[in-house]
Amino acid sequence: ARPEILDQQLRALLQVSPLQRCRILLPMVTEVDELLHIRQRVDALCLELGINQRPEIGVMIEVPAAALQAEQLAEHADFLSIGTNDLSQYTLAMHPALLRLIAMTCEGAAVHKRWVGVCGALASDPLATPVLIGLGVTELSVSPVQIGEIKDRVRQLHEAECQRLARDLLKLSSAAAVRHACHQHWPLR
């Protein structure tokens, strides 16, 4: 809606040093054309500024439309990040429907060998850690106070077991059933 402000923000991001450490995460994307537009603007600004590298550009998967188009978005994005707070406002946290959206996002990203991160409350929930790993999530954006706990949790998990059990969770009928199964399979210490 305000292209001059967008360009101003993108120019500022392109001044980050070192630029290869910068990642641009686009919020509230609902269609591929929005991502393509930003890519075009970044490429044009890089040319204008004489920059021969560009930062990774990712899409925040926080609306169901984005989760359902994850494969198409992953074709043009460098990474996807699932915003579970916003995505779960359409469902309940740890509800099988939300887990299916996360699984679909991971599957779509995998087609194009893209990584998927999760941010929001679910990423910091140690009960959810094995489920997210099992669904294909490769990065968790965790609240600072829980980094140690989540890292310890990840070290104790076996990816193949997480994958097998996470797929079973998708078949359950409620968030309560998912939480119960998680407590059974991966008890918190």
Side-chain angles (χ1 to χ4, degrees), residues 27 57 67 131 155 181 183:
I57 299 174
V131 180
R155 286 185 190 109
H183 280 293

Side-chain angles (χ1 to χ4, degrees), residues 56-67:
E56 287 188 351
I57 299 174
V59 171
M60 182 72 102
I61 304 295
E62 54 194 334
V63 295

Side-chain angles (χ1 to χ4, degrees), residues 48-183:
E48 174 188 308
L49 297 169
I51 298 171
N52 57 8
Q53 60 179 342
R54 67 168 174 74
E56 287 188 351
I57 299 174
V59 171
M60 182 72 102
I61 304 295
E62 54 194 334
V63 295
L68 294 170
Q69 297 179 78
E71 182 180 337
Q72 292 79 13
L73 289 166
E75 182 178 351
H76 303 284
D78 296 307
F79 67 95
L80 304 177
S81 180
I82 301 169
T84 56
N85 288 355
D86 289 317
L87 190 57
S88 65
Q89 73 182 337
Y90 298 98
T91 56
L92 300 171
M94 294 286 275
H95 191 281
L98 174 63
L99 299 182
R100 285 186 203 109
L101 291 173
I102 292 171
M104 290 172 67
T105 300
C106 292
E107 289 163 7
V111 169
H112 298 284
K113 296 181 175 47
R114 304 297 193 232
W115 61 271
V116 177
V118 169
C119 57
L122 198 59
S124 294
D125 181 348
L127 193 62
T129 302
V131 180
L132 296 173
I133 289 171
L135 294 176
V137 169
T138 52
E139 182 178 286
L140 299 171
S141 182
V142 177
S143 64
V145 296
Q146 288 185 281
I147 290 174
E149 179 184 5
I150 298 296
K151 274 185 154 182
D152 185 54
R153 183 92 159 138
V154 169
R155 286 185 190 109
Q156 297 171 23
L157 297 170
H158 299 282
E159 187 177 19
E161 179 187 8
C162 290
Q163 290 169 342
R164 184 177 54 79
L165 293 170
R167 291 291 164 195
D168 291 342
L169 297 177
L170 298 178
K171 300 171 190 161
L172 298 177
S173 59
S174 69
V178 169
R179 287 196 168 277
H180 177 74
C182 288
H183 280 293

